Each structure stands twice: as C-alpha cells, then as structure tokens.
C-alpha cells in the first residue's frame, strides 16, 4: 500500500497540525508513505526532516526547470 500526502504545508494549522505529531513514524513493511511540502512554509519541511533523520529515506525534488539542459 502506498499513501500519498501532498502539500503538507497547506494543511490547516488548527490543533497543531503543522507539528506533524499525527504522522506515523513507523509503518508496516508493506506500507509506504510519500509526503510533500514546500520549503520555508510554517516550518513543515524542517519538522519532516527531524521526523525522517535518515537521508536514505528522503528524496529532494528540485523545482521544475532548474535542471534543464540546453542544446
């Protein structure tokens, strides 16, 4: 099972949602959780990096157009 949670920076800050304490830190072996957040908004990305300290478990996606090769 794969669960996608896109744009965590856009969730309501009500009830401390930006602290991400509701996000599970351990998952069953057959479950993958993919989350996304923009940097610098409400500290969500910084919180995610603290929750997922192992860099092997994260992938940083560059904004579109930054890696364009011109010929």
């Amino acid at each position: 099972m794969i669960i996608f949670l896109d744009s965590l920076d856009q969730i309501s800050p009500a009830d401390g949602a930006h602290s991400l304490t509701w996000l599970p830190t351990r998952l069953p072996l057959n479950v993958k959780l993919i989350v996304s957040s923009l940097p610098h908004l409400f500290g969500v990305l910084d919180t995610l990096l603290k929750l997922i300290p192992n860099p092997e478990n994260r992938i940083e996606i560059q904004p579109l157009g930054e890696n364009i090769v011109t010929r």
Side-chain angles (χ1 to χ4, degrees):
M1 172 186 294
I2 300 173
I3 301 169
F4 291 90
L5 299 175
D6 188 27
S7 303
L8 292 183
D9 52 281
Q10 293 182 17
I11 59 175
S12 168
D15 300 318
H18 287 160
S19 69
L20 305 180
T21 55
W22 52 270
L23 199 62
T25 55
R26 294 186 184 266
L27 299 169
L29 292 176
N30 62 333
V31 176
K32 304 297 180 202
L33 180 60
I34 299 172
V35 298
S36 73
S37 175
L38 290 175
H40 314 300
L41 291 176
F42 309 110
V44 174
L45 183 58
D46 292 333
T47 302
L48 277 172
L49 294 175
K50 289 176 189 171
L51 289 173
I52 309 166
N54 186 346
E56 293 179 3
N57 293 329
R58 335 185 275 249
I59 298 172
E60 181 179 348
I61 306 297
Q62 296 297 319
L64 293 175
E66 288 214 0
N67 295 324
I68 294 176
V69 177
T70 58
R71 296 178 193 235

